[in-house]
Amino acid sequence: MSERFRIVGGTRLQGEVIVPGAKNSVLKLMAASLLAEGKTTITSVPDILDVEIMSELLTRLGCKVERISDLVTIDVPEKLNVRAEYDLVRKMRASINVLGPLLARLKIVEVALPGGDAIGSRGLDYHIKGLELLGAKIHLEHGYIIAEAPNGLVGANVTLDFPSVGATENLMTAAVLAEGVTTIDNAAREPDVVDLGEFLNAMGGKIEGLGSPTIKITGVKELKPATHSTLPDRIVAGTWAFAAAITQGDITIKGGNPEHLELPLEKIVEAGAVVTTTADGFRVKMDRRPNAVDVATLPYPGFATDLQPFVITMNAIAQGNSIVTENVFEGRFMFVNELLRLGAEIHVDGHHASIHGIEKLSGAPVQATDIRAGAGLVLAGLVSDGVTIVEDAFHIDRGYPGFAEDLIALGAKITRD
């Protein structure tokens, strides 16, 4: 498969798109299936590279994984391997989500320190400190996290310094089989965390307070396999919403849940778009050049850091000046260096990007550094003069199934070559 997109600028996007199941949820659901012996079924699974990587990881741990269309079945054996190898874990940070389930079930686990996107340090301190409070003994050795709980895990009160999604998820999946009650304070509130908690409850878990800052987990002896449908991907839905605003387009986003995008959609309306709810999603229509909007990224329900490249792209061609503040991942502004190659007028100072909107960008070769940066550069190419080449397109494949095909259906001139 070719690793570059070639985009001819100057197209208004118009039509319908269908939002797939959420990348940030399905990988955690697949990892959580390790908690119950037997066959778990997950539906609405997006056709993305990361699902293949997670399937291979689960297979190496001893599971049988089958995929038919958007349905994945995971047959989990009684005995699992304890080691998640580096060659897979380095490709995808979500691999760290096998840590909690394997520790809970096997009482020992070895997981390679993860890799993933180049968007800044995402330390595992919150995961490790929380699991230690549940009674785990953890040390690092030769690039692996080795966690042991020979007598099993025991419920505890855990307060996270930051509402980390990954740490909240690992703690939930570990505590669900722990003895006694665990509370997680300052827990992540993302819809993906709620989706995972509802899946664990369907398996027989006892979890309360999902979607709030305090989650209470009463440990159970064992869990049973379950069937669960992945929630729609709010980041993909948000991407299409910004695509409409950026290209002065009109896109109906089927399957997108506007309740999961309240703040981003407010910003798009502030920029001048009309957003309407439909029976099975929402529609974004923009009839003029957008107005510049100020944004600060924050954990949910704040403005998602994963949507930051799109608001920067919109502001780059908007009327007026704006400031975008990044409070979650310090490396996210790597994307700005590529946007500058397209002629954008942006100045970065620490956590802040000051953007002066110009009427049109100028096509040039650029490089995707992560999933969202790659998609943002493609959208920037649509509002650039001439041709834009986005290298390292494989990043985009990790989060957007059929991205080019969807864009072509909306009227874009884009090819892979």
Side-chain angles (χ1 to χ4, degrees):
M1 185 182 278
S2 169
E3 298 296 10
R4 58 166 60 174
F5 283 126
R6 183 177 185 276
I7 305 111
V8 179
T11 310
R12 178 176 192 257
L13 297 182
Q14 196 162 359
E16 284 184 357
V17 288
I18 296 171
V19 177
K23 165 193 181 289
N24 287 340
S25 185
V26 72
L27 304 173
K28 322 304 176 60
L29 298 171
M30 291 174 74
S33 70
L34 294 165
L35 285 160
E37 184 186 341
K39 192 175 282 189
T40 280
T41 301
I42 302 169
T43 62
S44 297
V45 175
D47 185 13
I48 53 173
L49 186 61
D50 279 13
V51 169
E52 290 177 31
I53 298 170
M54 183 60 83
S55 298
E56 175 63 22
L57 178 58
L58 295 178
T59 299
R60 292 222 210 144
L61 291 170
C63 304
K64 286 182 183 161
V65 183
E66 289 185 344
R67 175 167 190 155
I68 302 168
S69 186
D70 71 341
L71 185 146
V72 168
T73 58
I74 304 160
D75 199 347
V76 181
E78 181 188 356
K79 291 191 174 167
L80 289 157
N81 298 325
V82 301
R83 189 173 172 95
E85 298 284 355
Y86 174 68
D87 68 315
L88 284 176
V89 174
R90 73 182 176 85
K91 294 179 185 175
M92 182 184 66
R93 285 196 59 89
S95 307
I96 198 66
N97 278 78
V98 303
L99 181 61
L102 288 178
L103 180 61
R105 257 202 74 193
L106 307 180
K107 301 182 172 49
I108 181 168
V109 57
E110 301 175 14
V111 180
L113 290 166
D117 288 331
I119 54 174
S121 71
R122 300 201 265 186
L124 298 171
D125 294 0
Y126 305 129
H127 302 242
I128 291 169
K129 283 179 187 170
L131 292 171
E132 284 177 338
L133 286 171
L134 298 181
K137 299 279 188 287
I138 300 177
H139 66 280
L140 303 181
E141 192 174 284
H142 306 303
Y144 280 78
I145 300 167
I146 299 172
E148 298 174 82
N151 302 316
L153 297 168
V154 179
N157 295 330
V158 181
T159 301
L160 295 173
D161 294 337
F162 178 85
S164 158
V165 171
T168 301
E169 291 166 338
N170 254 330
L171 288 168
M172 274 175 27
T173 51
V176 74
L177 289 179
E179 186 183 320
V181 176
T182 298
T183 57
I184 307 172
D185 281 314
N186 200 25
R189 298 163 60 186
E190 271 74 358
D192 316 300
V193 174
V194 176
D195 199 34
L196 175 61
E198 288 174 349
F199 175 52
L200 294 173
N201 283 343
M203 296 170 83
K206 292 183 178 174
I207 303 174
E208 302 167 73
L210 293 165
S212 80
T214 302
I215 296 174
K216 179 183 173 187
I217 304 136
T218 304
V220 296
K221 291 285 185 209
E222 66 170 350
L223 296 173
K224 296 278 193 289
T227 297
H228 184 83
S229 179
T230 315
L231 91 168
D233 196 314
R234 69 193 164 96
I235 304 302
V236 173
T239 301
W240 293 122
F242 276 104
I246 290 164
T247 66
Q248 297 182 38
D250 183 357
I251 303 178
T252 298
I253 300 157
K254 298 180 81 168
N257 186 341
E259 289 178 13
H260 292 165
L261 290 162
E262 282 187 14
L263 195 51
L265 291 179
E266 276 178 26
K267 290 294 177 182
I268 286 171
V269 169
E270 191 182 323
V274 175
V275 177
T276 49
T277 302
T278 63
D280 57 355
F282 60 99
R283 176 183 175 191
V284 179
K285 188 168 185 279
M286 178 69 103
D287 290 328
R288 57 184 178 77
R289 187 177 166 198
N291 300 319
V293 295
D294 294 337
V295 163
T297 67
L298 284 169
Y300 191 86
F303 192 99
T305 181
D306 277 356
L307 293 176
Q308 183 247 77
F310 310 112
V311 77
I312 286 183
T313 300
M314 183 181 77
N315 281 334
I317 51 94
Q319 295 184 63
N321 300 317
S322 58
I323 294 177
V324 174
T325 303
E326 176 55 56
N327 293 311
V328 182
F329 292 138
E330 69 273 20
R332 261 259 140 84
F333 283 146
M334 286 167 65
F335 161 78
V336 168
N337 294 331
E338 300 303 305
L339 213 50
L340 293 174
R341 292 178 50 77
L342 300 178
E345 296 184 14
I346 306 172
H347 176 70
V348 173
D349 183 7
H351 290 276
H352 308 285
S354 303
I355 305 154
H356 172 67
I358 59 174
E359 204 155 321
K360 197 167 264 188
L361 299 171
S362 174
V366 289
Q367 184 176 17
T369 51
D370 66 70
I371 297 169
R372 313 305 169 187
L377 289 168
V378 170
L379 297 186
L382 293 172
V383 285
S384 296
D385 273 334
V387 175
T388 299
I389 306 289
V390 179
E391 299 281 0
D392 291 347
F394 66 89
H395 282 296
I396 299 169
D397 298 335
R398 287 184 47 220
Y400 295 88
F403 193 52
E405 292 81 355
D406 281 342
L407 282 166
I408 289 164
L410 294 170
K413 294 174 183 166
I414 177 170
T415 54
R416 273 186 104 126
D417 57 30

